[in-house]
């Protein structure tokens, strides 16, 4: 289908991150639609490449090489910057069935994430623009207005005007704010790097002891685990075999470790709901939901439903967090404006009284 191209050229394409696929969520959605229409995965992929890749010919050669070498769907989709936990879904769907529905689900989740990212950037543009203007005003005040006030104070033999000292502190407020932000980011990255260097068991201990990270981690890991295990159970895999599959996969070390803990308890006779309750690694009431599925005999389907419920909860939380970002920045801007006015007016009032 594609003519032969030098391997170095293909390697250059893959190493150039700016030449990735365009609109990956739409690409996955269209692939899903073609699979439902009866196309094979390679046929759907090669049909859509010209519409989503800047250099479709090079991409086609690369993907054809992967097909020839026996690569899985997950291995091929990994080239398209798809998150690893989604790749795990495709790996399970390829083996157990339901690839079209899985690609549609991944497309919807990636579309939501992309929309949130765009909304986040859009929300930040105006506050960041205002903060940049205010920072310029503060620099001008600090370099021109305040020195003039100090000279007037010197000429009036009033060098000890307290408001001048206060104005100097207020005009350095943006510096303190930016410095605090930089230190917070550096500290956060240092903590993340420190945690990643430890093994999974120690990582879990640290995360579960951190209040905010604890809640978000449990929500996310419960959503992923419920989706993956539910997909396996619905496809007819037994519980122990499903846990073994999750334990042996390499795409998500955390899920692998948690699945090993659960499988160990299930082997020794505990039900899945009891094992989940004992480990305390998942969101509250997850064990009750599993217990209901065990009694009804529809554990797989109910875990998929629970995963969808957690998706909705996470989406709502993200929307709330995004809606709070702009007011937070506007509060900081208001504080900066008040600081600017005080730094300008207080020295003027003091000098008027003295003169």
């Amino acid at each position: 289908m594609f003519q032969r191209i030098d391997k170095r050229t293909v390697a250059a394409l893959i190493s150039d991150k700016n030449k990735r696929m365009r609109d990956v969520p739409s690409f996955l959605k269209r692939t899903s639609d073609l699979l439902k229409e009866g196309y094979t995965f390679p046929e759907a992929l090669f049909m859509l490449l010209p519409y989503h890749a800047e250099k479709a010919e090079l991409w086609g050669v690369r993907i054809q090489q992967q097909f020839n070498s026996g690569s899985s769907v997950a291995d091929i989709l990994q080239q398209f910057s798809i998150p690893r936990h989604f790749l795990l879904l495709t790996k399970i769907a390829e083996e157990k069935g339901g690839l079209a529905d899985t690609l549609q689900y991944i497309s919807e989740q990636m579309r939501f994430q992309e929309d949130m990212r765009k909304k986040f950037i859009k929300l930040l543009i105006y506050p960041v623009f205002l903060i940049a203007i205010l920072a310029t005003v503060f620099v001008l005040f600090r370099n021109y207005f305040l020195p003039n006030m100090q000279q007037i104070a010197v000429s009036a033999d009033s060098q000890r005007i307290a408001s001048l000292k206060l104005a100097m502190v207020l005009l350095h407020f943006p510096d303190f704010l930016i410095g605090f932000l930089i230190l917070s980011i550096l500290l956060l990255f240092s903590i993340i790097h420190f945690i990643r260097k430890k093994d999974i068991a120690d990582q879990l201990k640290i995360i579960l002891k951190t209040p905010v990270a604890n809640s978000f981690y449990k929500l996310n890991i419960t959503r992923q685990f419920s989706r993956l295990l539910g997909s396996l159970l619905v496809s007819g895999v037994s519980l122990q075999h499903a846990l073994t599959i999750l334990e042996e996969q390499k795409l998500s070390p955390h899920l692998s470790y948690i699945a090993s803990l659960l499988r160990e308890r299930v082997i020794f006779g505990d039900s899945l709901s009891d094992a989940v309750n004992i480990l305390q690694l998942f969101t509250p009431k997850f064990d009750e939901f599993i217990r209901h599925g065990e009694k009804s005999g529809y554990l797989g389907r109910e875990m998929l439903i629970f995963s969808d419920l957690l998706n909705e909860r996470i989406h709502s939380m993200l929307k709330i967090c995004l809606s709070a970002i702009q007011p937070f920045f506007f509060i900081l801007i208001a504080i900066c404006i008040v600081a600017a006015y005080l730094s300008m007016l207080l020295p003027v009032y003091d000098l008027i009284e003295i003169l």
Side-chain angles (χ1 to χ4, degrees), residues 107-116 315 318-319:
S107 170
E108 294 170 354
Q109 296 304 311
M110 291 187 67
R111 177 65 68 188
F112 175 81
Q113 293 175 3
E114 186 175 330
D115 291 342
M116 289 295 101
H315 291 177
L318 289 175
K319 290 177 181 178

Side-chain angles (χ1 to χ4, degrees), residues 160-171:
R160 296 183 178 180
I161 297 179
S163 59
L164 288 175
K165 297 180 180 179
L166 178 60
M168 180 62 72
V169 174
L170 292 175
L171 289 175

Side-chain angles (χ1 to χ4, degrees), residues 89 212 337:
L89 277 173
V212 178
I337 292 174

Side-chain angles (χ1 to χ4, degrees), residues 23 79 107 131 198 212 241 247 269 340 343 354:
D23 196 0
Q79 305 295 328
S107 170
I131 290 175
K198 295 185 172 294
V212 178
H241 187 202
E247 180 183 357
S343 63
I354 293 171

Side-chain angles (χ1 to χ4, degrees), residues 64-243:
Q64 187 63 58
Q65 290 175 352
Q66 289 186 296
F67 278 124
N68 293 340
S69 62
S71 298
S72 65
V73 172
D75 294 332
I76 293 170
L77 293 180
Q78 191 172 8
Q79 305 295 328
F80 304 152
S81 301
I82 297 176
R84 295 174 69 88
H85 59 278
F86 289 149
L87 293 176
L88 183 54
L89 277 173
T90 62
K91 189 176 183 66
I92 292 175
E94 183 183 12
E95 296 177 359
K96 306 302 177 182
L99 181 59
D101 293 333
T102 299
L103 291 179
Q104 181 176 351
Y105 170 79
I106 295 173
S107 170
E108 294 170 354
Q109 296 304 311
M110 291 187 67
R111 177 65 68 188
F112 175 81
Q113 293 175 3
E114 186 175 330
D115 291 342
M116 289 295 101
R117 180 181 60 83
K118 291 180 179 178
K119 187 176 180 180
F120 176 75
I121 294 173
K122 185 178 179 180
L123 287 173
L124 285 184
I125 289 177
Y126 185 57
V128 169
F129 176 72
L130 290 179
I131 290 175
I133 293 177
L134 282 174
T136 304
V137 171
F138 272 69
V139 171
L140 293 175
F141 276 15
R142 205 161 55 207
N143 293 334
Y144 297 100
F145 173 76
L146 196 60
N148 290 335
M149 291 294 100
Q150 290 173 338
Q151 289 179 3
I152 295 173
V154 170
S155 64
D157 294 329
S158 303
Q159 300 182 20
R160 296 183 178 180
I161 297 179
S163 59
L164 288 175
K165 297 180 180 179
L166 178 60
M168 180 62 72
V169 174
L170 292 175
L171 289 175
H172 280 86
F173 178 75
D175 300 343
F176 300 144
L177 187 63
I178 293 173
F180 175 77
L181 181 62
I182 293 174
L183 287 176
S184 300
I185 293 174
L186 290 176
L187 180 61
L188 179 62
F189 277 102
S190 300
I191 293 174
I192 293 175
H193 179 70
F194 172 76
I195 293 176
R196 284 181 175 177
K197 290 177 65 177
K198 295 185 172 294
D199 56 32
I200 303 299
D202 292 334
Q203 289 182 24
L204 286 176
K205 290 179 182 178
I206 295 173
I207 293 173
L208 295 177
K209 290 180 180 178
T210 308
V212 178
N214 178 4
S215 300
F216 278 100
Y217 178 84
K218 285 185 176 181
L219 270 177
N220 189 47
I221 204 67
T222 305
R223 177 186 63 168
Q224 294 181 28
F225 178 79
S226 183
R227 170 65 58 175
L228 292 168
L229 186 60
S231 299
L232 288 169
L233 294 177
V234 166
S235 66
V237 179
S238 66
L239 176 60
Q240 289 192 19
H241 187 202
L243 292 173

